[in-house]
Amino acid sequence: MATPTVTLAQRPRTASAKRVKPAIKPAPAGSRYPQALLHHIVAPSLRVPEAAAATVFAAARQRGPIARDVIAQVTGLSIATVNRQVTALLDAGVLRERADLAVSGAIGRPRVPVEVNHEPFLTLGIHIGARVTSIVATDLFGRTLDVVETPTPRGPQAAALTAIAGSARRYLSRWHRRRPLWVGVATGGVVDSATGYLDHPRLGWSDAPVGPVLAEALGLPVSVASHVDAMAGAELLLGVRRRPTKAATSLYVYARETVGYALSIGGQVHSPASGPGTIAGLPAFSELLGGTGQLESTVSDEAVLSAARKAQIVPAEGPASTVTAVLRAARQGNEAAAALVAERARVLGEAVALLRDMLNPDDLVVGGQAFTEYPEGMSIVESAFAARSALPPRDIRVTTFGNRIQEAGAGIVSLGGLYADPIGGMRRALASRRPEVSA
């Protein structure tokens, strides 16, 4: 099946403001995307699951191979409930029994361990960045199987979306032994998660039908989320060491080409109906880095690179004119380069302190290459944070995923629906048509 040519369609709307998430309505006559296709769009689930089947599946993911009676102990569910859910999860294909690991002398299936049946399946994550788009294959544990990166297409959004969909279809053609189940997209801008449409001013996209285009090209359920929400979701579902309490709050702060934040409350990423808030315009001043007096224009990779070019740390253009080259120069003892990255760390630390003082979360996490690609600068971030914050001392935790946070975010968007409802999610995924791709 050839990759479709994208024609932008009128999106389903309510009479309310553009950025309020509407319920999906029947497509207008002549619309590019029929109602049947829009049913493939599923709002992302960035929360700790609570349903019985999801809780049992989570125990298997986190502790498996695991026996049914142990699942009952760690989840607090009755053994009868666990047995019913395990049977349903085995029938759905997401768990498998390991009779070879049964305790010697034990009688009955409750002592036969079960584990995640991860080998037949994958999910597809797509992170659409300002400069680079990553396509990620993830297994049911949330582990990255493979990732490829390509420059984010420029030009008209219709052509850009066609190119991304085509790249995703070609990528799936490589996976002959695993069935794709779901597509998750993490991207900047304002996402309408109910319909999969996107406004992304930095890319010049307006009402871009990201979800429908990918659903049509790949024939799979598609979820689309703000990239910072997705990264916070990865921390919540894949990176936490213990289940959050109902009242627990966590603040996630991101910085690379863009800056952003997300707040998790009681085990769920808070995703406002009108789109994520922004910290791009927070006040930030640095003579060394320049900028417009706002946070994003001061600490972005582009700001650091522009300042490095002016200081002749790197050439004005060419393959050696990169942020990576600036960081390398700083590590090699170039004082001007070290001063630039130290200044970015200072500004970031003060911005994180401002956010912490406003929201006062229980847990504070930072991620993005502005933090992780130069770990030597974290001590400066922490010192600036401590000096600027008016509240008692608080530790800053660096993301579990390091420089892989973008792929982890896209991966969890592709897995969230299966984690929240593994039985219903598998029914939805397996009922969809398998994409007919060619290399």
Side-chain angles (χ1 to χ4, degrees):
M1 183 179 69
T3 302
T5 301
V6 179
T7 303
L8 299 187
Q10 179 179 355
R11 88 195 261 186
R13 294 196 178 278
T14 62
S16 56
K18 173 182 177 181
R19 291 182 176 175
V20 174
K21 294 179 182 177
I24 297 179
K25 298 170 64 177
S31 171
R32 174 69 170 134
Y33 301 109
Q35 181 71 8
L37 179 62
L38 295 177
H39 283 160
H40 282 281
I41 311 304
V42 183
S45 180
L46 302 175
R47 67 180 188 274
V48 176
E50 296 183 346
T55 302
V56 171
F57 184 57
R61 285 191 291 109
Q62 296 161 4
R63 297 170 179 262
I66 185 171
R68 293 162 175 80
D69 56 345
V70 180
I71 294 175
Q73 293 171 16
V74 300
T75 63
L77 298 171
S78 70
I79 189 64
T81 298
V82 169
N83 282 330
R84 285 195 301 272
Q85 300 305 327
V86 167
T87 297
L89 291 165
L90 289 168
D91 290 343
V94 292
L95 291 186
R96 64 187 178 190
E97 291 187 316
R98 290 293 305 274
D100 58 309
L101 298 179
V103 176
S104 178
I107 300 174
R109 294 184 69 193
R111 297 299 297 167
V112 176
V114 294
E115 66 180 6
V116 174
N117 186 27
H118 62 96
E119 292 170 349
F121 307 113
L122 66 81
T123 62
L124 189 73
I126 303 173
H127 178 265
I128 303 174
R131 295 179 179 273
V132 175
T133 291
S134 302
I135 302 177
V136 186
T138 304
D139 71 8
L140 293 183
F141 286 108
R143 301 177 301 199
T144 296
L145 300 171
D146 181 64
V147 59
V148 296
E149 294 184 343
T150 183
T152 299
R154 300 296 172 180
Q157 67 187 38
L161 290 178
T162 297
I164 291 171
S167 294
R169 292 181 72 251
R170 289 189 295 274
Y171 181 76
L172 282 181
S173 72
R174 297 165 46 183
W175 296 91
H176 302 294
R177 296 182 180 179
R178 289 181 183 257
R179 174 158 185 162
L181 298 175
W182 210 283
V183 180
V185 182
T187 180
V190 178
V191 173
D192 184 336
S193 61
T195 62
Y197 278 70
L198 169 69
D199 291 337
H200 199 315
R202 186 159 185 156
L203 294 178
W205 296 1
S206 177
D207 257 4
V210 176
V213 167
L214 289 168
E216 184 174 47
L218 303 178
L220 296 169
V222 179
S223 298
V224 187
S226 157
H227 68 154
V228 183
D229 284 357
M231 295 172 201
E235 293 292 334
L236 183 67
L237 292 169
L238 301 176
V240 295
R241 289 156 289 186
R242 60 186 182 275
R243 185 184 179 95
T245 66
K246 289 288 187 181
T249 57
S250 178
L251 173 64
Y252 182 86
V253 182
Y254 171 82
R256 189 184 190 184
E257 271 304 329
T258 59
V259 294
Y261 79 100
L263 188 65
S264 298
I265 305 172
Q268 180 170 348
V269 178
H270 175 58
S271 300
S274 55
T278 179
I279 58 174
L282 284 181
F285 177 75
S286 171
E287 290 186 0
L288 196 58
L289 290 170
T292 62
Q294 298 180 342
L295 181 62
E296 187 167 285
S297 65
T298 304
V299 301
S300 69
D301 278 4
E302 184 58 38
V304 173
L305 186 55
S306 178
R309 288 166 175 164
K310 289 179 182 178
Q312 298 184 340
I313 297 169
V314 295
E317 56 185 21
S321 186
T322 64
V323 170
T324 301
V326 178
L327 300 180
R328 186 185 307 115
R331 290 192 179 97
Q332 292 173 347
N334 185 305
E335 293 183 0
L340 278 182
V341 293
E343 178 70 350
R344 172 158 76 168
R346 177 194 69 80
V347 175
L348 283 170
E350 293 184 352
V352 172
L354 180 61
L355 285 167
R356 182 268 174 121
D357 286 1
M358 287 191 297
L359 299 170
N360 196 20
D362 300 308
D363 190 31
L364 180 56
V365 188
V366 296
Q369 279 74 0
F371 295 104
T372 59
E373 203 162 26
Y374 190 72
E376 300 94 325
M378 272 307 299
S379 61
I380 301 171
V381 171
E382 291 166 347
S383 295
F385 169 83
R388 177 66 178 81
S389 177
L391 295 178
R394 171 65 54 81
D395 289 337
I396 300 175
R397 182 164 61 88
V398 180
T399 174
T400 306
F401 302 98
N403 286 340
R404 296 173 37 251
I405 185 57
Q406 288 86 359
E407 65 191 63
I412 200 59
V413 178
S414 71
L415 286 165
L418 293 164
Y419 283 5
D421 181 9
I423 298 171
M426 284 296 287
R427 287 196 191 109
R428 178 189 287 270
L430 297 178
S432 60
R433 59 179 172 85
R434 183 172 182 142
E436 299 172 6
V437 292
S438 57

